[in-house]
Amino acid sequence: MSWRPRLVALDIDGTITRVGEEGVAPAVRAAIHRAVDHGAHVVLSTGRSLIGTRPIADDLGLRGTTAICSNGAVWWDTTSREVVRWTGFDTGATVAALRELFPGAVFAVEVTGRGNLSLGRFPEGDLWGEVREVSAAELTAEPTSRLVMRWVDHTPEEVALRVADVELPGVMWWVDNVEPWLTVSPSGVSKGAALEELRQLLDVPAEDTLALGDGHNDVEMLRWAARGVAMGQAPATVRAVADDVTGTVLEDGAARELDRWFGA
């Protein structure tokens, strides 16, 4: 029998949803359902907060699985609808360092399952759930699973260049492909690390794993998978670590890859 993955990890934005659209394209939705029908563990693995992930899991009707949110810091059981793992970190030193590096930037910390606290005002639609503007002291008062920064009126390339040689102790960070947006997570927390723990819990052989993604925060996940596939529009540095490259999100590249293993 030909190879068929038993654990399928899917990024959301730029992989199964298009920029500016919340719904999953019909061809991609159908391909995901075929994977589930064949008995695969389909796991949403995203940098989104929980509150931004739940609508996608519900739209797909995913049950009996775990959603990996906030780049691995939050695990959500799609059946019980409970957070089953939460990893937080103190943001004070990181926010202070980034405020010096990025004058005029705005920041937000995730309040899991509810929304965000923000330092400064984000553009409409940037953050999921309730958003409450607070002082710097309030923003950093409690640990969070996810810190984000937007450098308004700048480009992702400018953000990446400025932070390239900076050390931020105790955290991991990624620059967005499209927006001047930086996401910060606790040290050691990534999609790849979370998926490896989940794989062992599910008792799935390492050689039976597939992952699809398009962003810098997907690199660890693509390296983790036995078959890591980058979306066609992914940056060259992301495509370089993948085992293969599929079509773009506009071409339903995720469906093309899934249909190789689960049939059309």
Side-chain angles (χ1 to χ4, degrees):
M1 181 179 176
S2 61
W3 181 79
R4 178 176 286 161
R6 291 176 53 194
L7 174 54
V8 177
L10 300 173
D11 171 51
I12 295 180
D13 297 292
T15 299
I16 65 171
T17 66
R18 301 173 182 181
V19 175
E21 298 180 14
E22 273 299 292
V24 179
V28 177
R29 179 185 288 105
I32 292 171
H33 288 168
R34 283 190 287 272
V36 172
D37 290 343
H38 278 91
H41 297 281
V42 175
V43 175
L44 298 178
S45 181
T46 178
R48 286 187 178 207
S49 65
L50 170 58
I51 202 165
T53 305
R54 283 191 307 221
I56 303 300
D58 291 341
D59 178 41
L60 291 168
L62 293 177
R63 294 292 182 268
T65 186
T66 302
I68 302 295
C69 314
S70 301
N71 289 310
V74 177
W75 295 26
W76 183 65
D77 186 294
T78 62
T79 301
S80 69
R81 305 182 70 81
E82 297 285 340
V83 172
V84 293
R85 180 173 300 190
W86 187 91
T87 304
F89 69 108
D90 293 321
T91 61
T94 301
V95 170
L98 292 176
R99 290 183 78 186
E100 286 193 20
L101 279 171
F102 299 98
V106 293
F107 297 83
V109 295
E110 178 182 336
V111 181
T112 301
R114 288 173 47 200
N116 299 266
L117 303 179
S118 74
L119 179 63
R121 182 163 297 181
F122 280 73
E124 190 70 27
D126 260 11
L127 301 171
W128 290 284
E130 302 172 7
V131 180
R132 182 165 67 89
E133 288 191 55
V134 297
S135 67
E138 289 176 284
L139 185 84
T140 59
E142 300 289 339
T144 185
S145 55
R146 178 176 177 265
L147 166 71
V148 295
M149 180 203 81
R150 177 185 269 277
W151 203 19
V152 182
D153 297 328
H154 291 268
T155 67
E157 292 74 21
E158 288 177 286
V159 175
L161 184 63
R162 184 157 295 200
V163 82
D165 297 322
V166 174
E167 290 190 16
L168 299 174
V171 299
M172 300 178 69
W173 53 264
W174 300 273
V175 178
D176 187 72
N177 305 350
V178 180
E179 301 288 346
W181 182 283
L182 184 78
T183 301
V184 183
S185 295
S187 182
V189 172
S190 70
K191 294 184 182 185
L195 286 163
E196 175 58 17
E197 288 191 57
L198 183 60
R199 179 194 70 79
Q200 294 183 37
L201 289 171
L202 294 172
D203 197 26
V204 172
E207 61 269 22
D208 290 340
T209 54
L210 168 68
L212 288 91
D214 76 311
H216 299 295
N217 61 331
D218 293 316
V219 166
E220 292 88 351
M221 177 174 79
L222 297 179
R223 286 175 171 155
W224 158 84
R227 178 173 170 80
V229 178
M231 300 297 292
Q233 82 282 355
T237 50
V238 177
R239 298 197 305 269
V241 304
D243 299 300
D244 204 352
V245 178
T246 187
T248 68
V249 67
L250 296 177
E251 298 167 328
D252 295 333
R256 183 186 304 179
E257 174 63 22
L258 292 173
D259 284 344
R260 292 185 62 175
W261 315 112
F262 301 105

